[in-house]
Amino acid sequence: MAGQVNNSINNRQSANGETEIDLLQIVRVIWKNLWIIILGGIAGGIIALAVTLFLIEPTYRSSFTAYVNNRTSTNQSTEMISSGDTSAAQQLTHTYAAIMTSRPIVEEAIEAAGLDYRYGSVQNAISTSITSSTALITVNVTLASPNDALALAQALAEVSPDYMENIVEGSSMKVVSYPVLASSQFAPNPKRNTAMGVLIGLVILIAFVVIRSLIDTRVKSEKELEEEFGIRVIG
């Protein structure tokens, strides 16, 4: 009997010595341990939600959008704007985005807003994004205090036009939409983090039960012996 089992095991190996994996068997293992997998997903979701609510400080975001022009504010109304001007303005948005987060303009905005921050503590809180195929630039301020985020964003919107016109000669910017007070936190997102926790928990438990099944080569029942190796048990 032992010789037959060994031969059957050997027959399940490929020519290069790698053991074949039965996908149907994996599905059976997952189904058999489904309740454990579900509990793992629930546990992962609970842990992720707890970390989100109690260990991660919430942040709030205020933003404003500005239009960049490759002409100064004094002459742009007296001349027609060509497609070349629009293309040049689109290129300028990248320059404006880089300057917008630089130390001088940020420190000027902090002083104008009357906030007790240093540049190093807010440099990563200010980000920019450029709307594709346009000359629009959006400036985001994300801080732990919604009021401070609004105040700094408003100050940046106020000092930026004059500052940019002095730095980048022959260009200008106009604020299209001004920042408003955030009505809800920007990050973290409890629903998204909980869903990610559930997914991670499910993946970990599925991997655990499948790997445990693959490395366990023991025959646990007569039925399994017949199904796996085609050996009929007589007695």
Side-chain angles (χ1 to χ4, degrees), residues 1-9 231:
M1 175 67 70
Q4 292 178 349
V5 173
N6 290 334
N7 290 335
S8 299
I9 294 176
I231 300 175

Side-chain angles (χ1 to χ4, degrees), residues 64 96-112 119 126 139 152 155-165 167 173:
F64 70 91
Y96 272 56
I99 298 175
M100 193 66 69
T101 58
S102 63
R103 180 185 292 272
I105 190 172
V106 172
E107 289 181 342
E108 183 177 341
I110 292 174
E111 183 178 357
Y119 172 73
I126 302 172
V139 181
L152 184 54
L156 281 170
E158 292 173 1
V159 305
S160 294
D162 292 338
Y163 185 90
M164 291 297 185
E165 193 167 340
I167 295 298
M173 67 175 287

Side-chain angles (χ1 to χ4, degrees), residues 43-59:
I46 293 174
I47 293 173
L49 180 61
V51 171
T52 300
L53 295 179
F54 300 110
L55 298 181
I56 301 178
E57 183 180 28
T59 57

